[in-house]
Amino acid sequence: MAEGCLRALRYGMVFFNLLFWLCGCGILGVGVWLSITQGNFATLSSSLPSLSAANLLIAAGTVVMVIGCLGCVGAVKENRPLLLSFFILLLLIFLLEILFIILFFSYQDQIDLYAQNDLKKGLQLFGTEGNIGLTNAWSIVQTDFRCCGVTNHTDWFQVYNTSRVPDSCCLEYSDNCGLENPGTWWTAPCYERVKGWLQENLVALWIFALCTALTQILGLVFSMTIFCHTVKAADTYYA
């Protein structure tokens, strides 16, 4: 009975990690595709220029693939070093996620202030040579969220040194519409618009976070159970 349960547990872990590995392949593939075909879409941050959607997906996909491969091969072969490596890596990621959440809610005001200041610095690079990624990113955000600037549309006045905004701030897009009457511009701040969108989708984000945490906990339990079984079996064999 116990042997049958362990066999089912092992098969379950193999299936779980195979899906995990395939998801990693998909995430990595999307990241590479974005990097090749949409390389001009980058980050809004001036201090973290490498923090683009493509780079984040590539990094996440690679990590998921490595962890999934370790777990899958370790479960099939009942290899203790691989199972232990899988457990340690997954536990480390799980603890880092908890630490990140705690720090985020503990220093939310400071993070808000830093993010706003950093985004305003990024505005200074809008339209400049070598920053087409940042320029396109701001244009897409302002168009999709119907907003203008970080905390106010007047943020752009300091960039242009005049009462002007990018054309992506216009209610009706046209060339040089950012030079026209302010009544034809979006005036909502982009930072608050994006933050509001995240709050509107907070339930979905929490469901995703809880599902991710549950999956990681199951992976930790499965791997440690199989690891302990292999240790016990080895001790019995050499006894």
Side-chain angles (χ1 to χ4, degrees):
M1 182 66 178
E3 188 65 30
C5 290
L6 285 170
R7 187 180 298 110
L9 187 63
R10 185 169 65 251
Y11 289 155
M13 185 170 174
V14 170
F15 178 74
F16 162 78
N17 282 284
L18 183 59
L19 287 179
F20 207 56
W21 183 80
L22 290 173
C23 288
C25 290
I27 294 171
L28 178 62
V30 172
V32 172
W33 175 78
L34 280 177
S35 181
I36 295 174
T37 63
Q38 306 292 329
N40 58 348
F41 182 77
T43 177
L44 299 174
S45 173
S46 60
S47 60
L48 298 171
S50 298
L51 194 64
S52 64
N55 290 341
L56 287 175
L57 288 173
I58 290 173
T62 301
V63 172
V64 170
M65 282 182 62
V66 170
I67 294 177
C69 184
L70 285 175
C72 191
V73 176
V76 170
K77 299 291 186 180
E78 293 190 352
N79 185 291
R80 281 177 289 173
L82 291 180
L83 288 170
L84 188 59
S85 298
F86 171 83
F87 178 85
I88 292 174
L89 284 175
L90 197 58
L91 179 62
L92 181 61
I93 292 174
F94 184 69
L95 293 176
L96 287 175
E97 288 171 350
I98 293 176
L99 179 62
F100 173 81
I101 292 173
I102 293 173
L103 291 176
F104 177 80
F105 284 105
S106 298
Y107 298 95
Q108 191 167 2
D109 292 338
Q110 292 90 326
I111 292 173
D112 275 343
L113 183 60
Y114 173 81
Q116 291 176 25
N117 290 334
D118 187 59
L119 289 171
K120 287 180 179 180
K121 290 179 182 177
L123 295 183
Q124 301 295 330
L125 302 176
F126 185 88
T128 58
E129 185 178 357
N131 290 291
I132 187 173
L134 184 143
T135 301
N136 288 344
W138 266 113
S139 296
I140 291 173
V141 168
Q142 293 185 142
T143 301
D144 289 351
F145 286 93
R146 299 181 176 184
C147 59
C148 191
V150 180
T151 57
N152 197 299
H153 71 281
T154 56
D155 294 336
W156 289 109
F157 294 178
Q158 300 176 17
V159 177
Y160 292 108
N161 293 319
T162 185
S163 298
R164 179 187 178 183
V165 297
D167 294 342
S168 56
C169 282
C170 297
L171 302 176
E172 296 290 337
Y173 179 85
S174 63
D175 291 338
N176 296 320
C177 62
L179 291 169
E180 298 174 4
N181 191 305
T184 63
W185 306 336
W186 301 115
T187 56
C190 289
Y191 190 85
E192 292 301 323
R193 274 292 176 93
V194 174
K195 192 174 178 179
W197 179 83
L198 290 174
Q199 290 174 347
E200 290 174 1
N201 294 274
L202 199 58
V203 174
L205 292 173
W206 275 115
I207 291 175
F208 175 77
L210 290 174
C211 290
T212 301
L214 180 61
T215 302
Q216 291 173 332
I217 292 172
L218 288 175
L220 291 170
V221 173
F222 287 0
S223 60
M224 185 50 62
T225 302
I226 297 175
F227 176 81
C228 292
H229 169 70
T230 57
V231 171
K232 184 178 179 180
D235 292 341
T236 303
Y237 178 81
Y238 289 109

